[in-house]
Amino acid sequence: MSYEPPTPPANLPTEIVNTLNESEPEQLRDIGMYAEALAEHKEREARLEESADQEEVEERPDDLPDDVPAKATITIKEINNNRYYYWQWREGEQVKSKYKSPVNPDE
């Protein structure tokens, strides 16, 4: 009794099919687990990127300058006894700020 090898998906490049055909069963099982984990990782990354893009569009305040990211918050800084609003956000290890306006003393 002989068994036919499985037919590879038509969209797989020939070099991948050849490499798989030359692999040992244990390697093929490892490849299968890795391929599944990698596919899940890439799908998760795509979903996170998509949701971040949507949040930026949906939650961007009207007065937010183009060069300030949507994740920025407003902070108050006091300089020479005057109070000012600043946009503030983190880029890697650095905290970035951009002037917004003076604080209205009536607020």
Side-chain angles (χ1 to χ4, degrees):
M1 181 183 242
S2 70
Y3 295 100
E4 292 295 318
T7 304
N11 62 345
L12 275 185
T14 303
E15 58 271 11
I16 291 176
V17 172
N18 291 341
T19 299
L20 292 173
N21 284 335
E22 295 167 3
S23 299
E24 296 296 320
E26 187 174 331
Q27 281 182 312
L28 290 170
R29 287 188 182 85
D30 291 343
I31 291 168
M33 288 189 303
Y34 171 71
E36 188 62 37
L38 184 59
E40 288 175 11
H41 170 77
K42 288 186 173 202
E43 288 168 346
R44 183 173 38 251
E45 290 291 313
R47 284 192 307 272
L48 289 173
E49 189 174 309
E50 183 179 308
S51 70
D53 290 346
Q54 288 175 352
E55 285 175 17
E56 187 170 328
V57 169
E58 293 169 7
E59 298 177 14
R60 190 168 184 87
D62 293 335
D63 61 343
L64 187 65
D66 290 338
D67 59 344
V68 174
K71 64 183 177 184
T73 58
I74 295 177
T75 59
I76 297 175
K77 293 184 180 185
E78 189 168 323
I79 302 170
N80 297 329
N81 294 323
N82 295 306
R83 298 174 66 197
Y84 302 95
Y85 288 118
Y86 278 81
W87 294 104
Q88 200 167 56
W89 67 97
R90 182 173 290 281
E91 285 184 10
E93 295 296 314
Q94 292 185 318
V95 174
K96 302 281 188 163
S97 297
K98 181 168 179 149
Y99 174 78
K100 182 180 184 315
S101 65
V103 174
N104 184 345
D106 298 333
E107 290 180 356

